Amino acid sequence: MSESPVEPGTVPPPPDRDAPPAGPPHAGVPPHVGVPPHVGVPPHAGVPPHPAGSPDGGGTPYPATPPYSAGPPYSAGPPGAVQPWPAPVSGGGGEPRQRLHPLSPLLHGAKSLVVVIAGLSWSTLSRVGFGWFAAMVVVLALGATVLSVISWYNTGYHVVGRELRVHEGLLWRRTRAIPLERLQAVEVVRPLLAQLTGLAELRLEVVGGGKTEAPLAYLGVADATRLRERLLALAGRVAPPGDTAPATRVETPTAVRARPLHAVRNRDLLVSQLLTPQAFLLPFGVAFVVVQFVTAGSWSFIAVASTLTAMAGVLLQPIRRVLDDWNFRLARDGGTLRVHNGLLETRAQTVPLDRVQTVRATWPLLWRVNDWLRLRLEVAGYSIAEADDRNRPDRLLPVGDLPTATMIVGEVLPGVRLDALTLSPPPPRTRWLHPLGRGALGAGLFDRVFATRSGLLTRQLAIVPYARIQSVRVVQGPVQRRLRLATVYADTAGGSGAAAQDRDLAEAWSLAAELTRRAHHQAHPPTP
């Protein structure tokens, strides 16, 4: 077996799995022990080895797990594994490294200016005066712009084989290689300044990423669109043997092939955000400010600015939702959903349907007057660790009625009707734990999904396909043990999954065993 060159500082490829071991094998240990052939749900995830409703352990145990196999020879490895980098591209035979748009430093400097002004706060303005405050802002903004120019000069990207390599760093240079096999979505984002200058930002989402990988800010709109289509095309297929230039093939733009599903009316979006607790508290805040102003006789500029800032903070969430979901459009493109939304910052997001873990429907209390609800997704492989959820492609329907939501859920989960999910309530003794909210709890098993309902003021419905369940847990608290109740959790890879709260103890074990059986059947379907 010949050895391929490896770049310095990288991890060499793992040895051939078919090669004999270097030393004597351990007695009684088959090769590749502990490496399951499939990533799925273990048959005993969180459930004791006895049938449903039999805590004493009687009956026939669950079927044994299929024997582990050695699997195919090593190629790309499992998701998240460290992969060997290809050999360096020669000077004349590879794609040259490309820089970002020349206006990128100016946009980064403008963003830094906003951050600087917000960081100095009103108290600094009152202490040093307007002249010194303006001088501080100018000096800090110029310094940030100079650093942005140097960073832009040292930043570049190019495609090498089936990898996107991003070179960046000011003092510490680093190169990130993103395998396109792990690529889930490439989003074109256009903040307000980027829209004014005709630029766009490219954000990459990969499987198992803790945050958005290697955002390229900024590119021309045409360049960003072409690069997005190129990366998605490379990620969606394996180059056939003899294809020496797979990177030059670009598919037809997805916007042409996408089938429109729904467009949210901006009027409904505005009304929905007016029906929020923050909007109802606004008149009381204004009345408080007026009373304080009349009582004090006069206010200083700092006091007025601080009050307005506090009121803006209360309204920040509904205002941001309106700006983010403005002109919301949803389309279907084969096995993906295309989401376009945003007013000051436009977004074009891609949601692969095979990565959807959970669909959540929410009925806020004040929305029930119009029979409105919203739909959210939990998608595996996206930046779930980010504190700011604006980058997450979880918006499925910002606001809409039940027939529209039923249609959209049927597109995401074929064969599932949102308006036909009848759930069973917990036992009557649950009133000791939920005096007013027992009727809001429910759970049910259906042909393809497991559904649960919870919430008193804000009703929530969680729908989890059996194929997405990673583990099943039965949890009892001290009060639940007293009442012989338990909660059954169906965990997924993309978030919290679903929880059937406060079920009868025997029913909880039966439900957990049935969930495990169905999940295992979906992960390992029987061969015909």
Side-chain angles (χ1 to χ4, degrees), residues 7 85 88-89 95-100 150-160 163-170 172-178 214-216:
E7 294 184 5
W85 286 15
V89 180
E95 175 183 310
R97 186 184 305 179
Q98 303 182 35
R99 285 200 177 99
L100 302 176
I150 299 176
S151 177
W152 168 83
Y153 184 79
N154 294 318
T155 301
Y157 67 93
H158 59 164
V159 178
V160 179
E163 283 185 346
L164 174 65
R165 295 189 183 181
V166 180
H167 309 265
E168 58 186 354
L170 182 58
W172 290 271
R173 305 288 179 84
R174 63 175 179 173
T175 300
R176 284 192 287 180
I178 303 175
L216 300 178

Side-chain angles (χ1 to χ4, degrees), residues 15-385:
D16 191 354
R17 300 173 91 179
D18 295 334
H26 297 283
V29 182
H32 310 294
V33 170
V35 182
H38 304 284
V39 178
V41 181
H44 309 292
V47 183
H50 51 74
S54 301
D56 55 355
T60 306
Y62 295 113
T65 309
Y68 294 150
S69 61
Y74 176 83
S75 57
V82 178
Q83 305 297 335
W85 286 15
V89 180
S90 59
E95 175 183 310
R97 186 184 305 179
Q98 303 182 35
R99 285 200 177 99
L100 302 176
H101 196 276
L103 292 180
S104 300
L106 295 180
L107 270 68
H108 287 295
K111 292 170 58 177
S112 302
L113 177 63
V114 175
V115 174
V116 166
I117 295 177
L120 293 178
S121 74
W122 297 108
S123 59
T124 305
L125 175 61
S126 62
R127 288 198 304 266
V128 301
F130 181 79
W132 282 105
F133 183 85
M136 293 171 58
V137 170
V138 170
V139 171
L140 293 176
L142 288 177
T145 304
V146 171
L147 292 178
S148 299
V149 171
I150 299 176
S151 177
W152 168 83
Y153 184 79
N154 294 318
T155 301
Y157 67 93
H158 59 164
V159 178
V160 179
R162 296 185 57 80
E163 283 185 346
L164 174 65
R165 295 189 183 181
V166 180
H167 309 265
E168 58 186 354
L170 182 58
L171 298 179
W172 290 271
R173 305 288 179 84
R174 63 175 179 173
T175 300
R176 284 192 287 180
I178 303 175
L180 297 182
E181 292 83 359
R182 297 174 54 200
L183 190 65
Q184 293 300 309
V186 184
E187 302 168 5
V188 178
V189 182
R190 300 192 66 194
L192 179 59
L193 292 177
Q195 296 183 49
L196 296 177
T197 53
L199 302 181
E201 179 180 351
L202 214 62
R203 295 179 181 175
L204 280 65
E205 299 282 356
V206 299
V207 176
K211 61 180 180 179
T212 301
E213 292 286 344
L216 300 178
Y218 295 86
L219 301 170
V221 176
D223 295 336
T225 303
R226 283 194 295 265
L227 182 58
R228 174 179 180 270
E229 295 297 331
R230 177 183 175 186
L231 295 179
L232 288 176
L234 289 174
R237 66 175 180 87
V238 178
D243 191 355
T244 57
T248 59
R249 300 183 179 181
V250 180
E251 297 182 356
T252 306
T254 55
V256 178
R257 306 192 312 269
R259 173 169 56 90
L261 295 179
H262 182 66
V264 176
R265 295 190 303 175
N266 294 328
R267 174 182 173 275
D268 293 344
L269 184 63
L270 289 171
V271 174
S272 68
Q273 295 308 311
L274 291 176
L275 297 176
T276 57
Q278 293 92 335
F280 272 85
L281 291 175
L282 180 60
F284 297 97
V286 174
F288 174 78
V289 173
V290 171
V291 170
Q292 292 294 325
F293 181 78
V294 173
T295 303
S298 62
W299 273 21
S300 63
F301 171 76
I302 302 301
V304 173
S306 301
T307 304
L308 294 177
T309 303
M311 295 177 61
V314 173
L315 295 175
L316 178 61
Q317 183 177 6
I319 292 176
R320 194 172 69 175
R321 285 180 176 175
V322 170
L323 297 178
D324 289 348
D325 296 330
W326 193 262
N327 288 332
F328 185 92
R329 290 172 293 157
L330 184 67
R332 174 77 180 266
D333 178 18
T336 61
L337 290 177
R338 306 291 181 181
V339 181
H340 299 266
N341 60 298
L343 178 59
L344 300 181
E345 181 177 275
T346 61
R347 295 172 179 267
Q349 295 179 325
T350 303
V351 180
L353 294 178
D354 58 351
R355 305 296 298 178
V356 173
Q357 307 293 303
T358 307
V359 177
R360 295 189 182 276
T362 305
W363 288 264
L365 177 62
L366 300 177
W367 288 17
R368 298 178 200 171
V369 178
N370 296 326
D371 195 22
W372 283 347
L373 73 157
R374 63 171 174 259
L375 296 176
R376 298 277 179 171
L377 295 175
E378 289 181 356
V379 184
Y382 285 86
S383 50
I384 60 177

